[in-house]
Amino acid sequence: MNITSSELAQAADAVNAVAARPLQLAVVLPTYNERKNVATMIERLDKALSGIAWEVIFVDDNSPDGTSDEARRLSLIDPRVRCIQRIGRRGLASAAIEGMCSTSAPIVAVMDADHQHDPALLPGMLEAVASGEYDISYASRFAEGASTEAWGRPDRVKASGLANRIANKVTGVALTDPMSGFFLLRTQTLRADAHRLSGVGFKILLDILATVDAPLRVKEFPLNFAARAEGESKLDRTVVFEFLVGLYDKWLGRIIPTRFALFGTVGAFGAVLHMTVLALVLHLFGAQFALSHYPKEAAFIFGQTIASLIAMTFNFALNNELTYADKRLRGFGPVARGWAQFALTCAFGMLANIGASTALVRVGFHPYPAAIVGIVLASVWNFALSSKFVWGKY
Ligand SMILES: Nc1nc2c(ncn2[C@@H]2O[C@H](COP(=O)(O)OP(=O)(O)O)[C@@H](O)[C@H]2O)c(=O)[nH]1
Ligand SMILES: [Mg+2]
């Protein structure tokens, strides 16, 4: 950790600033692989928040690129910088909640760390809430005077328009951008309801608005939404999809957990694929097997095995994209390892599936309902284990 003399001088200024008066504002920056954005982000905050007593909290999910190390390195020379390094955890919403709960500042803001959100808006947002006039300020990509041109993602802009209209109905607050990830509120407001927030996905502002009972007075700030500075987006699940997941989570998530519902839906598609492949194999090779010296259910076992392998790979891919988008495995190594772990998990499920369904066929069941019984058995097992073993911490 090399600290230059100009950095030391900066540190002295920072220490003086911290000592001068009580903390006014905490800025929470959830990070995953944002190492190159950390230093520049602190610089921009320092510029934007001159005259305000602030701290910044990086909530990093143990990024492989060393984001936490970078934050701690800068924290040594600037006590306003803090870092929470979460091990074995992933997720923007839960990171934001933990960051917000970790500060003593009376007011807390959440922003992206990739420079898409302009910190220059913070003083105005702070003033709106600190004055007591509003409960939440947030930066909208779609308010009058805002722009999203620099974003370069017209697909995501469009999707947001549709999601917003539904969101406004749900929360009863007319916001132009309820999916915004840049907002500021009194820490107490957050803390009072933190235990009721879902912490799933990344629509945390929407979650807060839908959860807090008292109607919140919301002040909108037009945001010039920039392109990401360094690194790549982690959250490219579509906004509409994310939004539907959020709605489900709020309404039914307590009855059937959101992840299980997603896993089950993906599984249902997998089952359709499974049955199609099975039918295809029986159709193509059934006659050949019947003529061979193999036992009469050999074609069925062969079909079930092929169908299970294909459906398993399909389910792994879709669960990685959608169900576990917030913990998505990326890059050849992690994906291959994840696939192998998923395969291992499913192998036991598959044994139960093939065993049970074959037994049913033996006692005279029709092959298709027998296969469905096998699939249901396997999917409960697969969810229970893969949520821990593949996408979680075992
Ligand atoms: N702690 C944490 N931060 C995350 C996670 N996923 C995304 N982020 C951060 O959330 C912010 C927004 O993510 P980004 O990938 O830019 O999403 P996009 O702007 O919607 O493309 C960035 O600061 C990311 O580093 C995560 O799983 N954990
Ligand atoms: Mg971003």
Side-chain angles (χ1 to χ4, degrees):
M1 282 191 191
N2 302 322
I3 298 169
T4 66
S5 58
S6 83
E7 279 174 332
L8 267 181
Q10 236 181 43
D13 289 348
V15 171
N16 289 337
V18 169
R21 59 197 175 293
L23 196 56
Q24 290 169 281
L25 172 70
V27 181
V28 172
L29 302 177
T31 53
Y32 193 74
N33 284 346
E34 306 284 5
R35 192 177 58 81
K36 287 187 178 155
N37 290 320
V38 171
T40 44
M41 203 59 225
I42 297 171
E43 257 166 52
R44 286 182 74 190
L45 285 171
D46 184 52
K47 237 181 234 129
L49 295 172
S50 71
I52 295 166
W54 59 275
E55 68 174 353
V56 60
I57 302 156
F58 291 91
V59 188
D60 183 59
D61 287 350
N62 204 22
S63 304
D65 78 343
T67 306
S68 297
D69 290 333
E70 174 70 352
R72 276 190 297 266
R73 183 183 76 83
L74 293 159
S75 170
L76 280 177
I77 51 172
D78 188 339
R80 298 172 302 182
V81 178
R82 292 174 45 204
C83 176
I84 298 175
Q85 181 176 4
R86 306 200 304 170
I87 312 291
R89 310 270 304 279
R90 273 301 301 277
L92 174 54
S94 66
I97 294 169
E98 282 182 38
M100 287 189 281
C101 288
S102 81
T103 183
S104 319
I107 293 181
V108 63
V110 175
M111 280 174 69
D112 285 4
D114 59 0
H115 294 272
Q116 289 193 285
H117 295 151
D118 186 357
L121 291 182
L122 281 169
M125 291 167 69
L126 174 65
E127 174 55 27
V129 170
S131 69
E133 206 179 332
Y134 294 95
D135 300 304
I136 291 195
S137 348
Y138 87 104
S140 165
R141 293 164 293 181
F142 310 112
E144 186 106 357
S147 77
T148 51
E149 273 98 71
W151 192 9
R153 289 293 302 269
D155 51 326
R156 291 178 72 173
V157 176
K158 253 214 208 93
S160 301
L162 172 68
N164 291 354
R165 280 198 294 280
I166 315 175
N168 293 340
K169 286 238 156 60
V170 175
T171 58
V173 195
L175 306 185
T176 56
D177 190 7
M179 312 289 285
S180 167
F182 186 7
F183 58 90
L184 174 152
L185 75 170
R186 253 181 296 281
T187 321
Q188 188 44 42
T189 311
L190 187 277
R191 217 176 271 126
D193 277 303
H195 62 287
R196 293 169 59 204
L197 297 173
S198 79
V200 171
F202 43 91
K203 27 76 218 169
I204 171 90
L205 173 62
L206 188 61
D207 197 3
I208 293 173
L209 291 172
T211 300
V212 174
D213 293 324
L216 298 176
R217 295 160 302 163
V218 184
K219 169 82 172 164
E220 216 165 65
F221 288 79
L223 170 68
N224 293 320
F225 197 57
R228 156 180 277 283
E230 300 277 352
E232 58 185 40
S233 166
K234 264 74 64 181
L235 304 177
D236 42 12
R237 197 156 82 166
T238 73
V239 176
V240 168
F241 180 79
E242 176 61 20
F243 178 70
L244 293 176
V245 169
L247 281 189
Y248 174 92
D249 193 63
K250 266 271 104 66
W251 286 341
L252 293 171
R254 268 165 230 273
I255 303 166
I256 301 174
T258 308
R259 270 216 223 270
F260 185 68
L262 278 168
F263 195 88
T265 309
V266 168
F269 282 108
V272 171
L273 182 67
H274 182 110
M275 298 305 272
T276 313
V277 174
L278 177 63
L280 210 69
V281 170
L282 288 181
H283 177 75
L284 289 179
F285 303 110
Q288 265 157 286
F289 269 102
L291 291 177
S292 71
H293 59 277
Y294 292 113
K296 70 177 172 29
E297 67 270 20
F300 181 67
I301 296 178
F302 178 65
Q304 280 284 67
T305 309
I306 300 249
S308 299
L309 273 174
I310 293 180
M312 190 271 297
T313 303
F314 169 84
N315 279 11
F316 170 73
L318 224 58
N319 278 321
N320 195 43
E321 280 304 304
L322 301 176
T323 314
Y324 294 100
D326 55 338
K327 308 177 180 202
R328 188 178 298 157
L329 306 168
R330 286 166 181 281
F332 183 77
V335 169
R337 198 177 319 118
W339 181 87
Q341 285 167 329
F342 193 70
L344 203 64
T345 303
C346 292
F348 288 98
M350 200 152 83
L351 281 183
N353 178 350
I354 297 175
S357 55
T358 309
L360 288 176
V361 168
R362 280 222 174 100
V363 299
F365 266 72
H366 188 273
Y368 294 136
I372 287 179
V373 170
I375 289 167
V376 170
L377 267 179
S379 57
V380 171
W381 165 269
N382 288 350
F383 176 71
L385 211 66
S386 71
S387 62
K388 289 257 177 256
F389 189 46
V390 181
W391 287 282
K393 194 153 178 86
Y394 193 61

